[in-house]
Amino acid sequence: MRAEALLDTRSSLDIQAVSKSYRVDGKPREILRDIRFTVEPGELVSVIGASGCGKSTLLRLIIGLDTDYEGDILLDGRSIDGPTADRGIVFQEPRLFPWLSVEQNIALGLDSSGASPAEVKRIVTEHIEIVRLNGFARAYPHQLSGGMAQRAAIARALVSRPKILLLDEPLGALDSQTRAYMQDELLEIWRREKITIVMVTHDIEEAVYLSDKIVVMEPEPGRVCGIVSIDAPHPRRRGTSKFSALKDRVLSVLVRTQSAASAGLVRSHPAAQGGIARRYG
Amino acid sequence: MLLPLILPLSVLLLWQIATAREWLAPQILPSPLTVFWTFVDLVTSGDIVEGLAISLRRISVGFAIGAAFGLSLGIAMGRSAKLEQYVGPSLRAIAQVPSLGWLPFLMLIFGIGETLNYVIIAKACFVPITINTAAGIRNIPVHYVEVAHVLRLRRSAMLFRLILPGALPTIFSGIRLALGHAWIAMVVVEMLADTAGVGYMMTWGRTLFQIDIVIVGMVVIGAIGFLMDGGLRWIERRLRRWAPVHA
Ligand SMILES: Nc1ncnc2c1ncn2[C@@H]1O[C@H](COP(=O)(O)OP(=O)(O)O)[C@@H](O)[C@H]1O
Ligand SMILES: [Mg+2]
């Protein structure tokens, strides 16, 4: 009964032939070209790719901050139209309001939920513990390290229990110990809440450790050049040969595109695109 | 700590020397001590207290009216680009005309009296507060505005958690500018077109050829203006306690 109810709350995401251009000096500059992939309900998908290949832009489109694009983005089969409560995002920068304390910032995530002040207090305190910011509830953002601020931002996105969570390099600013802890915490939240997660990262190991599926992108303009499925069960052990093999597979997709791009040989990868089309088209 | 006192104390010393050596006739420049005793007289007789009470009531009421309208219109303009396009340029043009430039015109409309004072003060406060509030809101980093959209903040949280704190420094410089202008405008109106307040007290001193009264008026007006600005800065610091302290 409970499992079924939870199953219903999971969201699927369909990115269908999405292209996006920005106007720079009056001329359109193509940022994303024909992006297609699917995120199944409850999946954890990583998007990986060189800096500037449009990963953050893609998340902006999915969250609904920018509606000026071609193609379709479907959430549970419906076209998205602006931000809603069932999608949460952690931006690449923490973006905490500097004039609010940590707990006030996190409580903003519940502002539209209609929760009572007592509930808000309880949920915020609970999440401060989850992101290991105990003792910093009353601190102001300028008193936090970059990693702590990013953890507060994660809590702010989590409190409203979104069905789909978008994460833009959320662990990039953390030291390796906290990072490993947060990765496990993220897995725990993902499992417990049965949410769908799309996470941008530039860390192959992180992607392999966490994801069901890794979308590999290449730059100029941003395209999907390969999708690697990771079928290994959790918890995954980083040192194993299987883990290394998976890392190598992702790396080979990345390197292939990079060497091709630097040699100026090809601009797109028909094989990779074809592969995706077969699977998701 | 003592640094800000060096200049006024030097002026006081120079003033004392000038009067002791009678560089100027005592009728034109009375000695600091004379002025001090005049001040004490004016305080004990109640003249200055009465005048100040009237002036302070005027500035409070006029400021409250001007600030209320200024904040409301400023917030509306900061949030709506269209409204800004409609009224922004006109307001900035009006801001170029000194409040006192309106005096002859407003005297014709409202006549001489309390209403005129309130209108001039409110107008002097309204314009800079509107312009600064609107500018402060528009300059809130778009990153924060995006967070507000994504979290779908309600109106009240939008206003009290993002817009007002985000625009606070700019709003406060508008308020300080406004109060400074309004205080000056009020004193001048009292000098030119009124029969009460500290400004009138100075005119009265001048017509009696009692320059000491005029000087007491100048010092009191300066001191009150200084204290009001200091008070506003103190309030702003209290409201911005979250900010990192710069040495
Ligand atoms: N508002 C904008 N106007 C013009 N170009 C932009 C804008 N935002 C991002 N870009 C450009 O789009 C490209 C992709 O940016 P981004 O999505 O941030 O990449 P990533 O997150 O993969 O590093 C970059 O070249 C960036 O300069
Ligand atoms: Mg980015």
Side-chain angles (χ1 to χ4, degrees):
Chain A
M1 163 64 210
R2 185 168 157 74
E4 259 170 57
L6 286 172
L7 217 64
D8 286 341
T9 67
R10 300 196 208 179
S11 280
S12 74
L13 181 68
D14 244 310
I15 316 280
Q16 296 182 341
V18 166
S19 298
K20 164 78 187 167
S21 299
Y22 278 122
R23 290 199 83 79
V24 180
D25 297 331
K27 289 189 287 281
R29 189 166 148 241
E30 197 176 23
I31 304 293
L32 295 172
R33 180 187 290 174
D34 197 30
I35 304 291
R36 321 163 175 255
F37 63 90
T38 305
V39 182
E40 306 294 342
E43 241 183 355
L44 198 165
V45 171
S46 289
V47 178
I48 200 166
S51 161
C53 72
K55 307 181 294 296
S56 295
T57 304
L58 180 61
L59 290 196
R60 291 175 60 81
L61 302 185
I62 300 173
I63 198 71
L65 277 175
D66 192 341
T67 49
D68 176 27
Y69 59 89
E70 285 157 49
D72 285 307
I73 299 177
L74 302 178
L75 190 69
D76 296 326
R78 278 189 305 278
S79 180
I80 55 154
D81 178 26
T84 54
D86 50 14
R87 272 166 297 152
I89 187 167
V90 177
F91 291 100
Q92 196 163 355
E93 323 76 23
R95 301 195 186 188
L96 301 176
F97 294 178
W99 45 83
L100 298 183
S101 65
V102 166
E103 61 184 358
Q104 288 172 323
N105 267 291
I106 296 173
L108 287 181
L110 289 166
D111 180 64
S112 64
S113 71
S116 71
E119 272 176 290
V120 170
K121 177 89 191 141
R122 182 182 61 75
I123 300 172
V124 167
T125 309
E126 183 184 306
H127 282 80
I128 284 178
E129 263 163 44
I130 292 178
V131 297
R132 277 190 174 174
L133 283 175
N134 314 47
F136 288 90
R138 299 273 160 83
Y140 284 100
H142 76 91
Q143 298 166 313
L144 306 180
S145 70
M148 290 161 79
Q150 194 57 292
R151 280 182 276 149
I154 292 173
R156 181 179 62 188
L158 282 176
V159 282
S160 61
R161 309 183 72 168
K163 289 195 269 179
I164 175 159
L165 183 61
L166 311 177
L167 301 163
D168 198 348
E169 303 191 23
L171 311 182
L174 305 189
D175 60 88
S176 56
Q177 246 182 328
T178 317
R179 193 182 176 111
Y181 163 78
M182 284 304 294
Q183 286 171 352
D184 288 328
E185 199 56 42
L186 208 60
L187 280 178
E188 180 54 36
I189 290 163
W190 171 63
R191 223 180 342 233
R192 194 175 59 219
E193 307 276 332
K194 305 278 179 206
I195 51 179
T196 307
I197 292 184
V198 179
M199 181 175 81
V200 167
T201 176
H202 54 235
D203 182 346
I204 296 180
E205 182 168 298
E206 180 169 281
V208 172
Y209 185 71
L210 296 174
S211 326
D212 295 316
K213 195 155 80 191
I214 301 174
V215 176
V216 184
M217 286 180 66
E218 62 181 320
E220 289 180 56
R223 285 151 298 164
V224 176
C225 59
I227 294 179
V228 179
S229 287
I230 312 284
D231 285 328
H234 290 285
R236 294 174 189 161
R237 303 261 310 277
R238 289 190 179 80
T240 61
S241 57
K242 185 160 183 232
F243 195 89
S244 304
L246 285 167
K247 268 169 68 179
D248 287 343
R249 252 178 71 202
V250 178
L251 195 61
S252 73
V253 179
L254 265 174
V255 167
R256 196 173 67 215
T257 67
Q258 265 162 17
S259 58
S262 58
L265 291 177
V266 265
R267 274 269 160 235
S268 69
H269 297 269
Q273 295 284 4
I276 296 149
R278 260 201 314 284
R279 268 167 79 184
Y280 302 105
Chain B
M1 185 56 203
L2 288 174
L3 224 53
L5 289 177
I6 291 176
L7 198 57
L9 288 178
S10 317
V11 171
L12 196 64
L13 191 67
L14 190 67
W15 180 9
Q16 176 60 39
I17 295 171
T19 50
R21 305 208 170 168
E22 302 213 1
W23 288 347
L24 286 167
Q27 295 93 322
I28 295 175
L29 187 65
S31 75
L33 212 60
T34 313
V35 171
F36 175 73
W37 286 118
T38 305
F39 172 70
V40 172
D41 277 351
L42 286 168
V43 172
T44 49
S45 73
D47 283 338
I48 206 168
V49 181
E50 205 177 298
L52 262 183
I54 291 172
S55 297
L56 287 177
R57 200 191 62 221
R58 285 175 178 161
I59 195 90
S60 316
V61 173
F63 172 79
I65 298 170
F69 280 104
L71 275 175
S72 316
L73 182 61
I75 289 172
M77 275 169 64
R79 307 223 49 204
S80 154
K82 202 163 213 151
L83 187 63
E84 151 67 29
Q85 280 171 354
Y86 273 119
V87 290
S90 313
L91 264 179
R92 281 188 287 276
I94 290 173
Q96 301 304 317
V97 182
S99 294
L100 291 168
W102 290 75
L103 188 57
F105 178 61
L106 293 175
M107 269 165 80
L108 286 178
I109 297 180
F110 296 104
I112 289 177
E114 219 48 31
T115 317
L116 177 69
N117 281 303
Y118 291 146
V119 170
I120 292 261
I121 297 168
K123 188 258 151 205
C125 293
F126 171 73
V127 177
I129 291 180
T130 309
I131 292 175
N132 273 49
T133 303
I137 291 172
R138 262 193 316 280
N139 288 337
I140 293 173
V142 68
H143 271 188
Y144 298 150
V145 179
E146 285 180 355
V147 168
H149 283 315
V150 165
L151 298 177
R152 300 183 319 132
L153 294 190
R154 290 175 300 174
R155 272 172 168 277
S156 59
M158 196 77 172
L159 189 61
F160 292 108
R161 295 298 200 199
L162 174 62
I163 290 175
L164 288 179
L168 191 83
T170 325
I171 294 177
F172 255 83
S173 39
I175 288 179
R176 286 171 55 201
L177 197 69
L179 207 54
H181 280 336
W183 182 241
I184 292 165
M186 185 204 69
V187 169
V188 175
V189 174
E190 284 177 350
M191 290 175 76
L192 295 179
D194 213 283
T195 54
V198 272
Y200 172 69
M201 188 190 82
M202 286 171 70
T203 311
W204 175 63
R206 186 180 55 83
T207 46
L208 294 178
F209 254 96
Q210 279 202 268
I211 303 303
D212 44 344
I213 295 183
V214 177
I215 296 178
V216 168
M218 288 165 63
V219 172
V220 166
I221 288 163
I224 301 275
F226 180 78
L227 286 179
M228 287 194 307
D229 194 58
L232 283 176
R233 278 146 74 109
W234 180 80
I235 294 172
E236 186 186 357
R237 268 200 308 278
R238 301 265 313 172
L239 289 174
R240 283 170 54 81
R241 257 177 308 184
W242 54 268
V245 194
H246 296 291

